[in-house]
Amino acid sequence: MKGTNGMNSFNRMNRMNGTHTFRIPRRRPAAAVALASAALVAALLPSLGQPPDTSPRSGSAPRTATCRDGTGAAACSLYGPAAGLGNGTIRAYSAYEGGKPEELGISLTASALTGLPTSPTDGKHCFDADADGSRDPVHECVGGHSRELALPAAPPASTGPALPFQWALFNWNPYGHNPHGRYDVPHFDVHFYLVPQQVRAGIRTGSCALLIACDQLAAAAKPVPDAYLPAGYPASSPQTAEGAMGAHLDSRPPTTGTLSGQTLIYGAYAGELVFIEPMLTKAFLERQRTAAGHRTCEPVPQPAAWRTPGWYPTRYCTAYRPDQGDYTVSLTDFVPSAGVRPLVAAGR
C-alpha cells in the first residue's frame, strides 16, 4: 500500500457509502476499463523454481533441524535466500512436522530493525501523475521499501497438497500509507502471494486510485465472489487499488483508528484473491522482544472455499525468538483444502 509522509496535504479523507475514499493530489482523470483476459492468462505462468538456502545467516539459526531426505516425521525447517534490510537481513522460511507444514513466514535478524531507510520510498514503483516531468517520491510512488523473497521448496517428506503460496513481498513503510488516520504509522506489510510474480508485475502504476493504471482499475475493483470471500471482508475496494499490488480488502471498521498492533489484509485482482498480508507496526514487532511468551497470534478469517487445493493458514503470528535473535511474521495452523478450480482470467 502507498508509502507517504503522513501529511494531511498528501491525502484527504472522504466518506462515501460508509467507506473511506482517498485521492492523490493532482490526479488526472481517465476512464477505467477492465484488463484484457489474455493479459492475465499470460501472466498466470508457473512460478520460477528457486533452490532453498538452508544455512543460517547473521545470527538467525533454524529453530529445528534442516529438512533433508529421510527427515520423516521429525520437525524441520527450511530457509530461502537472505536479502539485506537495515543493518541486518530478512528471508522466508518454512517449518514442517510429520511432512505437514506448520509455519510459513519471514525471519528478520534483530539488527534488521536498526538502520532502516528513512526516505518515503525506494522509487521502484512511481508514476508522473501530474505530467510535470518529475516523480514526487511522496505523492507519486507506492510500496515504500520492498524486498521480493523466494520461498523455500517443500521438503522431500512433505505429504498431502502443497502450500499454495509462491513468493513473498516484504514492505517497510517509514511513514505509513493510506488511509490517513489508520495506517500512517511506521509499519511493515508482509505479502504472501498466491499468484506468480509475473501477475503482480503486470499491475502497472498510473494516475487512478492509489497510483494504479486507469485501464486496470476495473479489474482491480472486480468483486471477489461470495463463495471465495473471507468472512468480514468487502468483496471489492476500488479506492485501495494500488499499482504493483491490486486492491486491498480491509476488515477493520472505519472507526477503528490508527493501527497500533497487527491486522490482516487480503489482496485481490480480477475477482481473485492474490495475497494474504499481515500488517504490523514496527513498535508492535519490537514489543515481542520483551513481551511474555514473545509471540502474538490472531485468526486468519476463512472463505467458504478456496479455489485451488493446498494447505491454508488459520492463524498469523508475530514473534521474537530469543535463542536465535530474530523476529518472525508467519502464517500458521494450516488445514488442507481440496480446492475448486485454478485461477482464471478476468472477464470469465
Side-chain angles (χ1 to χ4, degrees), residues 99-122:
K100 298 178 181 180
E102 294 290 319
E103 198 168 351
L104 176 67
I106 305 300
S107 164
L108 304 87
T109 59
S111 55
L113 269 65
T114 63
L116 287 167
T118 57
S119 59
T121 176
D122 55 21

Side-chain angles (χ1 to χ4, degrees), residues 142-157:
V142 293
H145 295 265
S146 64
R147 302 290 185 273
E148 296 182 3
L149 301 173
L151 303 182

Side-chain angles (χ1 to χ4, degrees), residues 70-196:
T71 298
C76 61
S77 298
L78 283 165
Y79 282 73
L85 180 71
N87 293 325
T89 60
I90 63 172
R91 55 189 178 144
Y93 73 94
S94 58
Y96 285 78
E97 185 167 2
K100 298 178 181 180
E102 294 290 319
E103 198 168 351
L104 176 67
I106 305 300
S107 164
L108 304 87
T109 59
S111 55
L113 269 65
T114 63
L116 287 167
T118 57
S119 59
T121 176
D122 55 21
K124 292 178 182 177
H125 301 286
C126 301
F127 188 82
D128 184 10
D130 60 2
D132 68 349
S134 64
R135 297 177 179 180
D136 184 333
V138 174
H139 299 86
E140 297 178 321
C141 294
V142 293
H145 295 265
S146 64
R147 302 290 185 273
E148 296 182 3
L149 301 173
L151 303 182
S158 61
T159 60
L163 286 170
F165 302 97
Q166 302 193 30
W167 63 289
L169 176 68
F170 185 94
N171 297 81
W172 157 238
N173 304 281
Y175 303 103
H177 54 60
N178 285 345
H180 174 66
R182 288 166 62 76
Y183 300 125
D184 50 355
V185 292
H187 73 268
F188 302 108
D189 296 329
V190 187
H191 306 81
F192 295 94
Y193 269 86
L194 294 160
V195 294

Side-chain angles (χ1 to χ4, degrees), residues 112-307:
L113 269 65
T114 63
L116 287 167
T118 57
S119 59
T121 176
D122 55 21
K124 292 178 182 177
H125 301 286
C126 301
F127 188 82
D128 184 10
D130 60 2
D132 68 349
S134 64
R135 297 177 179 180
D136 184 333
V138 174
H139 299 86
E140 297 178 321
C141 294
V142 293
H145 295 265
S146 64
R147 302 290 185 273
E148 296 182 3
L149 301 173
L151 303 182
S158 61
T159 60
L163 286 170
F165 302 97
Q166 302 193 30
W167 63 289
L169 176 68
F170 185 94
N171 297 81
W172 157 238
N173 304 281
Y175 303 103
H177 54 60
N178 285 345
H180 174 66
R182 288 166 62 76
Y183 300 125
D184 50 355
V185 292
H187 73 268
F188 302 108
D189 296 329
V190 187
H191 306 81
F192 295 94
Y193 269 86
L194 294 160
V195 294
Q197 289 172 293
Q198 294 94 326
V199 174
R200 182 253 184 159
I203 303 174
R204 308 185 313 277
T205 54
S207 60
C208 285
L210 300 185
L211 287 182
I212 193 171
C214 292
D215 63 352
Q216 293 182 304
L217 181 60
K222 184 174 182 178
V224 176
D226 289 345
Y228 311 116
L229 184 65
Y233 286 81
S236 67
S237 186
Q239 70 272 18
T240 65
E242 181 177 333
M245 286 272 185
H248 293 76
L249 309 183
D250 188 354
S251 65
R252 297 178 75 224
T255 57
T256 302
T258 303
L259 181 69
S260 61
Q262 64 182 4
T263 190
L264 193 78
I265 305 291
Y266 274 96
Y269 190 75
E272 310 281 3
L273 295 179
V274 295
F275 61 74
I276 298 178
E277 176 197 344
M279 177 191 292
L280 57 144
T281 68
K282 179 176 181 287
F284 179 75
L285 182 60
E286 291 173 323
R287 285 201 298 271
Q288 302 306 312
R289 193 164 186 169
T290 56
H294 301 290
R295 193 175 192 228
T296 302
C297 299
E298 296 183 32
V300 173
Q302 303 289 300
W306 293 97
R307 289 195 188 276

Side-chain angles (χ1 to χ4, degrees), residues 6-105:
M7 298 181 295
N8 289 340
S9 60
F10 180 20
N11 292 295
R12 299 190 302 273
M13 180 177 293
N14 299 314
R15 295 195 178 272
M16 179 179 295
N17 296 325
T19 62
H20 298 305
T21 301
F22 303 90
R23 298 177 181 171
I24 295 173
R26 304 167 291 182
R27 170 176 156 187
R28 294 179 300 177
V33 296
L35 175 68
S37 298
L40 188 59
V41 171
L44 291 172
L45 302 174
S47 180
L48 300 175
Q50 301 190 47
D53 176 3
T54 58
S55 59
R57 300 190 183 189
S58 302
S60 179
R63 176 179 55 185
T64 55
T66 298
C67 297
R68 301 186 187 281
D69 290 339
T71 298
C76 61
S77 298
L78 283 165
Y79 282 73
L85 180 71
N87 293 325
T89 60
I90 63 172
R91 55 189 178 144
Y93 73 94
S94 58
Y96 285 78
E97 185 167 2
K100 298 178 181 180
E102 294 290 319
E103 198 168 351
L104 176 67

